[in-house]
Amino acid sequence: MQFRKKPVVVEATQWFKNGDHPLDDCFRPFEDTGEVPVSSREGKIVRYFRHPNVSGAKKCDQCGQIMHFHGWIDTLEGGHIVCCGDWIITGIVGEMYPCKPAIFEATYDRVKVDEINANTEEELLEQVSKLISLMEYLPLMKEKEEKEEKEEKEEKEEKEEKEEKEGVIKMIDGINEEKENTIAEWYQKAKECRSTDELKIFLDTVLSYGLHDYSSITDAFIAGLLATMKAMDCHENGGITGFQAGWIVMNFVTRELLIDGPWRMQKYHDMLYPQYSNKFEKTISKDTWDWLQKEASKNLETAGGHPDVIAHWQSIVDGTIPFGWGLDKE
Ligand SMILES: [Zn+2]
């Protein structure tokens, strides 16, 4: 009698390196601690090649690669070496064993997914439902892949944009720091101006600074004014006192801001010292009081206004210093 071997369908996967087998599950939690590994573990199906008597540097008789690049699989007949490129076959009862690529090619044909091979109605139904689920699954897979690809691209673009922004901010910080240093230098150099010739060079320097903005140009003006005072003070007609310098500053402000009448500056730093209490008394000089009364009287004659304002002017003319202030002591 003759017999023909029944065709069997097996699952198979070609193995090249650790983790290639779909059931290797290289990120399964450790059995003892239950912790999830941070890097890939040894494959569950194809394990690392280990042999007490065979060095990992030894070359394989079968494939010529060093043993380090091999795997090891437990089969029904005991353990077996897996070479790079070997197929791992899962047999009809779930047993696994390696097969050399040449033998595999000669023995097996790829089962096509669209091949319907049914003997009974149930088998046909099963095959058709498998095909339908596959057809439903494929577009979903494609959609998922596209979505992941898109997300990866967006993430990359976002990262690049962020890096570019950070670069610009860093550059601006650098410029700002340089600018701050330059301005600090102006104030230092302003104090060192010793002649009108030096002053001219100084003014040209601060005015022609290449990175001027809304704020730095005002620093240039102030440094220029300080340098002017220094240079003028060094002239043969200069040599002013601290009091004169204060008077110059006060009058500069009066002229620049067109302040009408007396005014005063208050340095709150003086509040730190008890001996300066007199600077914070709410009093005005006799001259200031005279000026105020004259102004109020003039306003009453020539200017109209809100009744409260008129009454205020009248009370000044009548002799009341506003806001509870008094006259300087003699
Ligand atoms: Zn080998």
Side-chain angles (χ1 to χ4, degrees), residues 171-191:
M171 200 178 76
I172 291 173
D173 282 350
I175 290 173
N176 284 342
E177 202 191 325
E178 201 190 293
K179 205 180 257 187
E180 269 172 38
N181 291 339
T182 304
I183 290 170
E185 207 176 293
W186 291 344
Y187 285 116
Q188 189 57 41
K189 287 269 185 276
K191 287 189 219 159

mmCIF file of all heavy atoms in Angstrom, residues 171-191:
data_model
loop_
_atom_site.group_PDB
_atom_site.id
_atom_site.type_symbol
_atom_site.label_atom_id
_atom_site.label_comp_id
_atom_site.label_asym_id
_atom_site.label_seq_id
_atom_site.Cartn_x
_atom_site.Cartn_y
_atom_site.Cartn_z
ATOM 1 N N MET A 171 20.240 84.327 21.075
ATOM 2 C CA MET A 171 20.954 85.364 20.338
ATOM 3 C C MET A 171 20.567 86.741 20.897
ATOM 4 O O MET A 171 21.423 87.590 21.130
ATOM 5 C CB MET A 171 20.577 85.273 18.857
ATOM 6 C CG MET A 171 21.561 85.923 17.947
ATOM 7 S SD MET A 171 21.024 85.683 16.249
ATOM 8 C CE MET A 171 19.710 86.867 16.139
ATOM 9 N N ILE A 172 19.237 86.925 21.128
ATOM 10 C CA ILE A 172 18.755 88.210 21.657
ATOM 11 C C ILE A 172 19.347 88.449 23.045
ATOM 12 O O ILE A 172 19.804 89.549 23.356
ATOM 13 C CB ILE A 172 17.202 88.223 21.704
ATOM 14 C CG1 ILE A 172 16.659 88.260 20.272
ATOM 15 C CG2 ILE A 172 16.702 89.430 22.489
ATOM 16 C CD1 ILE A 172 15.172 88.115 20.164
ATOM 17 N N ASP A 173 19.363 87.387 23.865
ATOM 18 C CA ASP A 173 19.966 87.505 25.201
ATOM 19 C C ASP A 173 21.409 87.963 25.085
ATOM 20 O O ASP A 173 21.864 88.818 25.844
ATOM 21 C CB ASP A 173 19.913 86.157 25.930
ATOM 22 C CG ASP A 173 18.536 85.875 26.485
ATOM 23 O OD1 ASP A 173 17.698 86.806 26.456
ATOM 24 O OD2 ASP A 173 18.288 84.748 26.923
ATOM 25 N N GLY A 174 22.115 87.384 24.122
ATOM 26 C CA GLY A 174 23.517 87.734 23.910
ATOM 27 C C GLY A 174 23.667 89.202 23.550
ATOM 28 O O GLY A 174 24.501 89.913 24.112
ATOM 29 N N ILE A 175 22.806 89.657 22.612
ATOM 30 C CA ILE A 175 22.851 91.062 22.181
ATOM 31 C C ILE A 175 22.528 91.975 23.356
ATOM 32 O O ILE A 175 23.204 92.980 23.586
ATOM 33 C CB ILE A 175 21.852 91.298 21.019
ATOM 34 C CG1 ILE A 175 22.356 90.601 19.756
ATOM 35 C CG2 ILE A 175 21.669 92.794 20.753
ATOM 36 C CD1 ILE A 175 21.388 90.615 18.610
ATOM 37 N N ASN A 176 21.484 91.604 24.123
ATOM 38 C CA ASN A 176 21.081 92.432 25.266
ATOM 39 C C ASN A 176 22.196 92.550 26.305
ATOM 40 O O ASN A 176 22.406 93.621 26.864
ATOM 41 C CB ASN A 176 19.825 91.863 25.919
ATOM 42 C CG ASN A 176 18.595 92.181 25.094
ATOM 43 O OD1 ASN A 176 18.635 93.071 24.245
ATOM 44 N ND2 ASN A 176 17.530 91.456 25.310
ATOM 45 N N GLU A 177 22.874 91.441 26.530
ATOM 46 C CA GLU A 177 23.947 91.450 27.509
ATOM 47 C C GLU A 177 25.073 92.367 27.023
ATOM 48 O O GLU A 177 25.598 93.178 27.784
ATOM 49 C CB GLU A 177 24.463 90.032 27.714
ATOM 50 C CG GLU A 177 25.180 89.875 29.045
ATOM 51 C CD GLU A 177 25.913 88.555 29.137
ATOM 52 O OE1 GLU A 177 25.411 87.555 28.605
ATOM 53 O OE2 GLU A 177 26.993 88.546 29.749
ATOM 54 N N GLU A 178 25.375 92.239 25.729
ATOM 55 C CA GLU A 178 26.432 93.064 25.146
ATOM 56 C C GLU A 178 26.045 94.536 25.252
ATOM 57 O O GLU A 178 26.865 95.398 25.579
ATOM 58 C CB GLU A 178 26.602 92.653 23.679
ATOM 59 C CG GLU A 178 27.935 93.038 23.097
ATOM 60 C CD GLU A 178 27.933 92.825 21.599
ATOM 61 O OE1 GLU A 178 27.860 91.668 21.167
ATOM 62 O OE2 GLU A 178 27.982 93.830 20.870
ATOM 63 N N LYS A 179 24.765 94.815 24.993
ATOM 64 C CA LYS A 179 24.269 96.188 25.041
ATOM 65 C C LYS A 179 24.386 96.751 26.453
ATOM 66 O O LYS A 179 24.853 97.871 26.653
ATOM 67 C CB LYS A 179 22.799 96.185 24.596
ATOM 68 C CG LYS A 179 22.343 97.513 24.042
ATOM 69 C CD LYS A 179 20.894 97.428 23.634
ATOM 70 C CE LYS A 179 20.747 97.294 22.147
ATOM 71 N NZ LYS A 179 19.343 97.370 21.723
ATOM 72 N N GLU A 180 23.970 95.940 27.443
ATOM 73 C CA GLU A 180 24.063 96.369 28.842
ATOM 74 C C GLU A 180 25.500 96.722 29.200
ATOM 75 O O GLU A 180 25.760 97.731 29.863
ATOM 76 C CB GLU A 180 23.589 95.238 29.765
ATOM 77 C CG GLU A 180 22.117 95.302 30.084
ATOM 78 C CD GLU A 180 21.647 94.059 30.831
ATOM 79 O OE1 GLU A 180 22.402 93.554 31.681
ATOM 80 O OE2 GLU A 180 20.532 93.593 30.536
ATOM 81 N N ASN A 181 26.429 95.873 28.751
ATOM 82 C CA ASN A 181 27.842 96.122 29.037
ATOM 83 C C ASN A 181 28.302 97.422 28.387
ATOM 84 O O ASN A 181 29.034 98.207 28.995
ATOM 85 C CB ASN A 181 28.705 94.966 28.530
ATOM 86 C CG ASN A 181 28.470 93.707 29.342
ATOM 87 O OD1 ASN A 181 27.981 93.783 30.478
ATOM 88 N ND2 ASN A 181 28.783 92.565 28.780
ATOM 89 N N THR A 182 27.866 97.634 27.133
ATOM 90 C CA THR A 182 28.258 98.846 26.404
ATOM 91 C C THR A 182 27.753 100.085 27.135
ATOM 92 O O THR A 182 28.499 101.053 27.336
ATOM 93 C CB THR A 182 27.662 98.812 24.982
ATOM 94 O OG1 THR A 182 28.088 97.614 24.348
ATOM 95 C CG2 THR A 182 28.109 100.018 24.169
ATOM 96 N N ILE A 183 26.480 100.049 27.564
ATOM 97 C CA ILE A 183 25.885 101.209 28.239
ATOM 98 C C ILE A 183 26.602 101.478 29.572
ATOM 99 O O ILE A 183 26.905 102.628 29.902
ATOM 100 C CB ILE A 183 24.366 100.977 28.440
ATOM 101 C CG1 ILE A 183 23.664 101.040 27.076
ATOM 102 C CG2 ILE A 183 23.776 102.020 29.387
ATOM 103 C CD1 ILE A 183 22.220 100.594 27.075
ATOM 104 N N ALA A 184 26.900 100.392 30.300
ATOM 105 C CA ALA A 184 27.638 100.560 31.566
ATOM 106 C C ALA A 184 28.983 101.232 31.298
ATOM 107 O O ALA A 184 29.443 102.074 32.076
ATOM 108 C CB ALA A 184 27.835 99.205 32.229
ATOM 109 N N GLU A 185 29.582 100.873 30.172
ATOM 110 C CA GLU A 185 30.873 101.449 29.798
ATOM 111 C C GLU A 185 30.730 102.950 29.501
ATOM 112 O O GLU A 185 31.597 103.741 29.866
ATOM 113 C CB GLU A 185 31.386 100.710 28.561
ATOM 114 C CG GLU A 185 32.892 100.699 28.414
ATOM 115 C CD GLU A 185 33.302 99.862 27.211
ATOM 116 O OE1 GLU A 185 33.088 98.627 27.253
ATOM 117 O OE2 GLU A 185 33.768 100.440 26.229
ATOM 118 N N TRP A 186 29.619 103.328 28.851
ATOM 119 C CA TRP A 186 29.388 104.758 28.559
ATOM 120 C C TRP A 186 29.406 105.567 29.851
ATOM 121 O O TRP A 186 30.054 106.609 29.937
ATOM 122 C CB TRP A 186 28.026 104.985 27.899
ATOM 123 C CG TRP A 186 27.910 104.442 26.507
ATOM 124 C CD1 TRP A 186 28.919 104.060 25.679
ATOM 125 C CD2 TRP A 186 26.695 104.221 25.786
ATOM 126 N NE1 TRP A 186 28.421 103.609 24.500
ATOM 127 C CE2 TRP A 186 27.053 103.698 24.535
ATOM 128 C CE3 TRP A 186 25.344 104.409 26.086
ATOM 129 C CZ2 TRP A 186 26.105 103.377 23.574
ATOM 130 C CZ3 TRP A 186 24.402 104.091 25.129
ATOM 131 C CH2 TRP A 186 24.780 103.573 23.883
ATOM 132 N N TYR A 187 28.666 105.081 30.859
ATOM 133 C CA TYR A 187 28.571 105.825 32.111
ATOM 134 C C TYR A 187 29.946 105.934 32.785
ATOM 135 O O TYR A 187 30.263 106.953 33.402
ATOM 136 C CB TYR A 187 27.539 105.173 33.046
ATOM 137 C CG TYR A 187 26.113 105.456 32.601
ATOM 138 C CD1 TYR A 187 25.258 104.445 32.182
ATOM 139 C CD2 TYR A 187 25.638 106.774 32.571
ATOM 140 C CE1 TYR A 187 23.968 104.714 31.763
ATOM 141 C CE2 TYR A 187 24.346 107.052 32.147
ATOM 142 C CZ TYR A 187 23.513 106.025 31.743
ATOM 143 O OH TYR A 187 22.242 106.302 31.319
ATOM 144 N N GLN A 188 30.751 104.868 32.647
ATOM 145 C CA GLN A 188 32.097 104.889 33.209
ATOM 146 C C GLN A 188 32.956 105.922 32.474
ATOM 147 O O GLN A 188 33.600 106.769 33.084
ATOM 148 C CB GLN A 188 32.695 103.477 33.084
ATOM 149 C CG GLN A 188 34.021 103.278 33.814
ATOM 150 C CD GLN A 188 33.921 103.611 35.299
ATOM 151 O OE1 GLN A 188 32.929 103.265 35.953
ATOM 152 N NE2 GLN A 188 34.905 104.326 35.816
ATOM 153 N N LYS A 189 32.907 105.866 31.140
ATOM 154 C CA LYS A 189 33.729 106.759 30.305
ATOM 155 C C LYS A 189 33.282 108.219 30.460
ATOM 156 O O LYS A 189 34.098 109.139 30.359
ATOM 157 C CB LYS A 189 33.631 106.344 28.833
ATOM 158 C CG LYS A 189 34.389 105.054 28.510
ATOM 159 C CD LYS A 189 35.824 105.356 28.080
ATOM 160 C CE LYS A 189 36.580 104.120 27.636
ATOM 161 N NZ LYS A 189 37.187 103.351 28.730
ATOM 162 N N ALA A 190 31.968 108.426 30.708
ATOM 163 C CA ALA A 190 31.447 109.803 30.844
ATOM 164 C C ALA A 190 32.168 110.528 31.970
ATOM 165 O O ALA A 190 32.504 111.707 31.860
ATOM 166 C CB ALA A 190 29.948 109.761 31.102
ATOM 167 N N LYS A 191 32.447 109.765 33.046
ATOM 168 C CA LYS A 191 33.113 110.365 34.210
ATOM 169 C C LYS A 191 34.557 110.738 33.899
ATOM 170 O O LYS A 191 35.171 111.518 34.623
ATOM 171 C CB LYS A 191 33.130 109.342 35.365
ATOM 172 C CG LYS A 191 31.785 109.122 36.015
ATOM 173 C CD LYS A 191 31.988 108.277 37.280
ATOM 174 C CE LYS A 191 30.871 107.275 37.449
ATOM 175 N NZ LYS A 191 31.270 106.166 38.319
#
